[in-house]
Amino acid sequence: MSNAAAPDPLSAIFRRLIANTGPISLMHYMGEANARYYGSKDPLGTGGDFVTAPEISQMFGELIGLWLADMWINAGREEPVHYVELGPGRGTLAADALRAARRYGLEPKVHFVETSQELKDIQLAAIPRAQWHDDLSTVPPYGPILLVANEFLDALPVRQLVMTPDGWRERMVVPEGEKFVCVAGTQPMDAAVPEARRQAEVGTIIETCPGAAATVYEVAGRLVDQGGAALFIDYGHDQVRDGSSLQAVRNHLKVDPFVNPGEADLTAHVDFATLAPIAQSRGCKWLGTVPQGRWLRDLGIEARARTLAETAPQHASAIEAAKERLVGEGQMGLLFKVMGLACPDWHGGVGF
Ligand code: SAH
């Protein structure tokens, strides 16, 4: 290797692994890269790599808190009630949502599903009373669940299948010079492709996210058994489509996902079209999947922005700019979607 700089540790591990055991799947590559990435830094802090909706404005978390309180009140204010957040980042969304919900008498137990120690420390400072979980299995099995996942599903590893002249194959990763590239695997994967999509031109890529499917399956089952409602918010599409949506962001710029794994945030579009029927297959109520901008407007973001601006006129233009970032069609308003789920006995669901 002619690389003069010290090799990136994860890329070195991948190189050794691939040299010993052969190509790794893209899903393996993305999973390890993100585990390393989230485990080693706070990507959202000052000088971080990307900015999420709760970090743009307190209005985002507040409106989510109001939505959850409204659902819980309509369902009869059952206790104990659990606020569960998947991948809570810096704890900002939870802090804003819980503050808003408290005004309506909702003071739930707080459960964070988080794997990054670095982020757990920051979350502890934001919400000292929270309990942490590695996954949903240890969240109590009784009492309604009010669950929020913002930009969580997009970080879970995707599997990609590609059509080759010999049929469907999994996309695998191998080193090439300083970086990595995708190649088609040798194992036939045709059986993994739904029959309706099996005929395709050579080069067609199908992307799926088993982790997102498993998460929604589990959450939907919990909502049916325990009562509750859930919001999954992410960038993605609500119609099935082909192609790779894998991307990497570092320092607020798109970078090559196959250079320096573990140093950039790898994400993929969330396939909401597939997730809704998975939730319904468990008997859960799918409230809908709607653009974030429309949902926030229906919840009253304009009025909330006006109130905030009246309280702090010196920040009026910043508040307006933040609101625009969240709802603007060319910004987060259209690309980001909100998928709502609820226990079939629960009513309402403003914004859907
Ligand atoms: N929801 C926050 C953070 C989004 S970043 C916000 O909107 O600001 C993604 C979050 O998911 C981080 O907290 C990250 O550590 C967490 N995460 C990523 N993969 C995870 C996994 N497999 N299990 C649990 N948490 C994970």
Side-chain angles (χ1 to χ4, degrees):
M1 199 111 314
S2 62
N3 192 355
D8 172 87
L10 186 59
S11 55
I13 292 168
F14 278 154
R15 276 168 202 281
R16 270 203 309 277
L17 179 68
I18 295 165
N20 287 332
T21 64
I24 56 172
S25 67
L26 177 71
M27 191 159 88
H28 182 169
Y29 177 90
M30 182 176 175
E32 293 285 342
N34 272 353
R36 169 69 63 102
Y37 177 74
Y38 285 106
S40 60
K41 66 185 291 198
D42 165 19
L44 298 150
T46 340
D49 289 321
F50 58 95
V51 179
T52 56
E55 304 296 332
I56 291 171
S57 166
Q58 68 187 79
M59 294 184 282
F60 186 76
E62 287 171 348
L63 292 171
I64 288 173
L66 293 181
W67 189 90
L68 296 174
D70 181 59
M71 293 297 283
W72 174 73
I73 290 166
N74 278 336
R77 300 175 179 262
E78 196 182 328
E79 304 259 10
V81 55
H82 306 280
Y83 174 90
V84 181
E85 192 173 337
L86 309 181
R90 299 177 58 78
T92 310
L93 194 166
D96 294 334
L98 293 168
R99 188 181 62 247
R102 195 170 56 223
R103 278 188 253 131
Y104 293 84
L106 170 59
E107 292 189 74
K109 300 192 185 321
V110 178
H111 303 272
F112 286 160
V113 176
E114 176 61 69
T115 43
S116 156
Q117 189 54 51
E118 178 97 12
L119 288 173
K120 276 186 208 171
D121 293 342
I122 298 171
Q123 291 157 13
L124 174 66
I127 313 281
R129 68 189 167 100
Q131 281 174 257
W132 280 265
H133 304 264
D134 290 334
D135 54 49
L136 276 168
S137 64
T138 50
V139 171
Y142 49 86
I145 282 181
L146 303 171
L147 181 137
V148 182
N150 186 60
E151 292 210 44
F152 171 76
L153 298 177
D154 69 351
L156 302 181
V158 291
R159 170 199 244 184
Q160 291 184 354
L161 300 176
V162 59
M163 185 60 167
T164 72
D166 303 319
W168 289 98
R169 296 287 189 269
E170 181 156 7
R171 290 190 93 197
M172 312 295 286
V173 176
V174 293
E176 188 184 80
E178 301 298 305
K179 56 177 281 193
F180 293 86
V181 291
C182 277
V183 294
T186 50
Q187 292 270 88
M189 295 296 288
D190 303 75
V193 179
E195 216 165 305
R197 299 178 77 184
R198 223 171 270 169
Q199 294 293 332
E201 278 177 37
V202 168
T204 305
I205 290 173
I206 290 181
E207 188 176 82
T208 57
C209 186
T215 301
V216 168
Y217 185 82
E218 162 97 26
V219 169
R222 291 292 197 117
L223 297 180
V224 172
D225 292 347
Q226 297 176 232
L231 294 170
F232 288 93
I233 307 163
D234 237 304
Y235 72 115
H237 42 274
D238 49 11
Q239 251 140 53
V240 174
R241 46 159 99 156
D242 294 336
S244 169
S245 72
L246 180 70
Q247 66 166 43
V249 168
R250 187 177 184 180
N251 204 7
H252 306 277
L253 294 173
K254 280 198 183 179
V255 296
D256 186 338
F258 296 103
V259 174
N260 294 334
E263 293 183 17
D265 179 43
L266 299 189
T267 59
H269 280 218
V270 173
D271 175 10
F272 287 108
T274 301
L275 297 177
I278 289 175
Q280 288 167 318
S281 77
R282 301 216 70 183
C284 184
K285 184 154 70 174
W286 172 62
L287 301 171
T289 302
V290 301
Q292 172 176 301
R294 201 187 96 192
W295 191 78
L296 291 172
R297 281 207 171 91
D298 282 355
L299 262 83
I301 195 170
E302 304 286 353
R304 182 67 189 132
R306 274 197 302 277
T307 311
L308 282 176
E310 279 160 20
T311 323
Q314 71 279 22
H315 297 312
S317 61
I319 292 163
E320 176 62 23
K323 187 206 74 193
E324 208 34 48
R325 231 174 130 183
L326 294 176
V327 303
E329 301 216 330
Q331 306 206 42
M332 298 178 83
L334 266 189
L335 180 60
F336 279 73
K337 311 280 190 298
V338 184
M339 181 174 80
L341 301 178
C343 172
D345 305 338
W346 281 39
H347 311 292
V350 183
F352 292 104

